[in-house]
Amino acid sequence: MKTVISTLSPSSNFGVNTPPIAPSVRLTQPPSTCSPVLRFPSLSVPVAAMDNGAGPSLYPLHRCKTLHLVRHAQGIHNVDGDKNYKAYLSPEYFDAHLTPLGWQQVDNLRKHVHASGLLKKIDLVITSPLLRTMQTAVGVFGGEGYTDRMDLLPLMVANAGNSGRSAISSLNCPPIIAVELCREHLGVHPCDKRRNISDYQFLFPAVDFSLIESDEDVLWQANVRETKEEVAARGMKFMNWLWTRKEKEIAIVTHSGFLFHTLTAFGNDCHPSVKIEICKHFANCELRSMVIVDRSMTGSDLPTTNYPGKIPPGPDLPSDVFNENSSEK
């Protein structure tokens, strides 16, 4: 069985080292030459059918990660862009910030992640280093209102990006890091060009920008836009990189185009309705939780809940193995 995702190699590593193997989420599997059947009083299920997506799949827990995928809230570019695609070419939308409606969307998603208990489960928040995604990330997953403390930096200063919002605390929230790999479609559209990292560090003091190599935006080009295939390849590189992280439950705040082109590679072995559920376009500030599975031993995490048994040791030959050994004699 092999994964049929093809990991292309964009010219830039976007400041991160990624393993050479594509994320080990099964897409297709060749049919088996033999289809043993599990027989129950009222059920007959071909084992091969279960492997081919017709039934449930089973994987070791320590080879899985839970991803909570979030598209940023409404930005100023979305308002006109929804009416006229050419509006995305306007220089006035450079590194677009959230609208007042977008901040309302942030507040509502924040209420959801608190009420559902999700915030307490998240080990890490990864955000695209653009103003609208970082505003969304700190607004949804950040701490409460900030009070001046010499030993604690705020996640966001007051009125960052013309938000009209109070400063946001970095207390009692997961760490937030900025990663270039999960940026939106690169090139041409000014809304997708970022500011200098030094500018962001002033606006978002407690966000970790250490994985970004260049202060200036060297990835965005005014006259060249990434192809859909290049965005998808960058998305797969990002998925590979996630396996180098120790965190098991990760929130990712990113963009519609990046999510759509990345997720389209997945779910080909699922029921069509599940494929649609995985790949459909995200609404502003939508959160969708998914699991990725390491089937090619890319990750190195050891199981934390498994127990070896046989402590203290003693004879433990199962009866079915005994019967098999007896029949061979």
Side-chain angles (χ1 to χ4, degrees), residues 67-311:
L67 306 182
H68 304 286
L69 305 175
V70 179
R71 182 192 174 192
H72 63 81
Q74 185 192 67
I76 57 172
H77 64 307
N78 293 136
V79 178
D80 286 340
D82 284 351
K83 303 172 186 175
N84 180 8
Y85 183 78
K86 291 183 178 179
Y88 290 120
L89 299 173
S90 173
E92 68 179 291
Y93 296 136
F94 163 66
D95 192 20
H97 59 78
L98 298 186
T99 64
L101 178 64
W103 278 107
Q104 292 178 35
Q105 294 170 344
V106 166
D107 291 339
N108 286 328
L109 180 54
R110 178 182 179 84
K111 291 175 185 176
H112 168 73
V113 300
H114 278 267
S116 65
L118 180 58
L119 185 67
K120 295 180 180 179
K121 300 177 182 179
I122 293 173
D123 303 313
L124 177 71
V125 177
I126 296 172
T127 179
S128 160
L130 289 175
L131 188 55
R132 59 190 182 272
T133 42
M134 289 190 289
Q135 287 178 322
T136 302
V138 302
V140 172
F141 300 106
E144 300 297 335
Y146 177 77
T147 54
D148 287 333
R149 287 178 52 178
M150 294 297 291
D151 60 337
L152 185 69
L153 292 173
L155 274 174
M156 187 182 82
V157 300
N159 198 37
N162 300 315
S163 64
R165 288 281 173 136
S166 301
I168 296 175
S169 174
S170 58
L171 188 65
N172 298 323
C173 67
I176 300 179
I177 62 171
V179 176
E180 296 261 44
L181 273 173
C182 61
R183 285 178 60 174
E184 183 59 295
H185 239 116
L186 293 168
V188 181
H189 294 178
C191 57
D192 299 328
K193 178 177 172 61
R194 68 165 172 81
R195 303 166 197 260
N196 289 351
I197 296 301
S198 53
D199 295 334
Y200 289 142
Q201 287 173 324
F202 173 77
L203 298 175
F204 303 94
V207 171
D208 183 354
F209 295 97
S210 62
L211 295 179
I212 298 180
E213 297 177 338
S214 173
D215 185 43
E216 297 182 356
D217 189 354
V218 297
L219 301 174
W220 187 91
Q221 299 180 60
N223 300 314
V224 180
R225 188 154 173 84
E226 272 186 306
T227 65
K228 296 176 181 178
E229 292 76 17
E230 288 170 334
V231 177
R234 175 159 57 86
M236 297 309 299
K237 185 182 286 290
F238 175 73
M239 290 292 198
N240 286 335
W241 172 75
L242 289 176
W243 288 111
T244 70
R245 304 290 311 187
K246 68 180 185 301
E247 296 87 1
K248 303 298 288 184
E249 196 144 347
I250 302 173
I252 300 163
V253 184
T254 179
H255 307 265
S256 174
F258 175 81
L259 287 166
F260 179 76
H261 295 301
T262 299
L263 297 178
T264 297
F266 295 94
N268 295 327
D269 59 344
C270 299
H271 187 280
S273 296
V274 177
K275 171 74 173 178
I276 292 172
E277 184 179 353
I278 292 171
C279 305
K280 65 181 179 180
H281 283 283
F282 277 63
N284 281 130
C285 223
E286 179 180 354
L287 182 151
R288 213 176 292 168
S289 299
M290 304 188 190
V291 174
I292 56 172
V293 178
D294 176 16
R295 296 179 68 246
S296 296
M297 305 290 286
T298 305
S300 58
D301 291 346
L302 296 175
T304 57
T305 57
N306 290 5
Y307 184 74
K310 209 170 183 178
I311 300 174

Side-chain angles (χ1 to χ4, degrees), residues 26 45-59 269-271 274:
R26 173 171 47 83
V45 182
V47 172
M50 291 195 295
D51 279 346
N52 278 302
S57 297
L58 191 68
Y59 301 102
D269 59 344
C270 299
H271 187 280
V274 177

